[in-house]
Amino acid sequence: MSLQADFEQAVADSKNLAERPDNMTLLKMYALYKQGSLGDAQGERPGMTDFIARAKWDAWNELKGESQDGAMQKYLDLFNDLRG
């Protein structure tokens, strides 16, 4: 399978992990997913009152410059670690 296909399968399978990852791991997975899917962070940074959206955007923005392929591979590596 290609990296893209493996990534898409891992994203689908991540919803069925035996244990729910902690919030920091979920945030990292979200950021890697967004970077792997769309590239660098887009749009305006959410306002101070939207804590969750702001944390997600900030985590994604920290990956600025990371290649989409690199982010997909890191997502796969993290997913495989969680899966055991």
Side-chain angles (χ1 to χ4, degrees), residues 6-26:
D6 288 344
F7 174 70
E8 290 170 5
Q9 186 63 52
V11 169
D13 291 346
S14 70
K15 294 164 181 54
N16 301 317
L17 287 170
E19 287 186 34
R20 183 181 189 274
D22 64 76
N23 288 338
M24 291 307 292
T25 302
L26 288 172

Side-chain angles (χ1 to χ4, degrees), residues 3 6-7 9-11 13-14 17 25 29 72-84:
L3 178 61
D6 288 344
F7 174 70
Q9 186 63 52
V11 169
D13 291 346
S14 70
L17 287 170
T25 302
M29 290 179 76
M72 282 190 260
Q73 186 59 56
K74 286 179 181 177
Y75 185 98
L76 284 168
D77 293 343
L78 179 57
F79 171 73
N80 287 328
D81 286 347
L82 292 171
R83 191 170 58 170

Side-chain angles (χ1 to χ4, degrees), residues 24-43:
M24 291 307 292
T25 302
L26 288 172
L27 193 59
K28 185 174 183 177
M29 290 179 76
Y30 172 84
L32 289 169
Y33 166 75
K34 293 294 273 189
Q35 189 72 18
S37 300
L38 301 172
D40 290 342
Q42 303 165 8

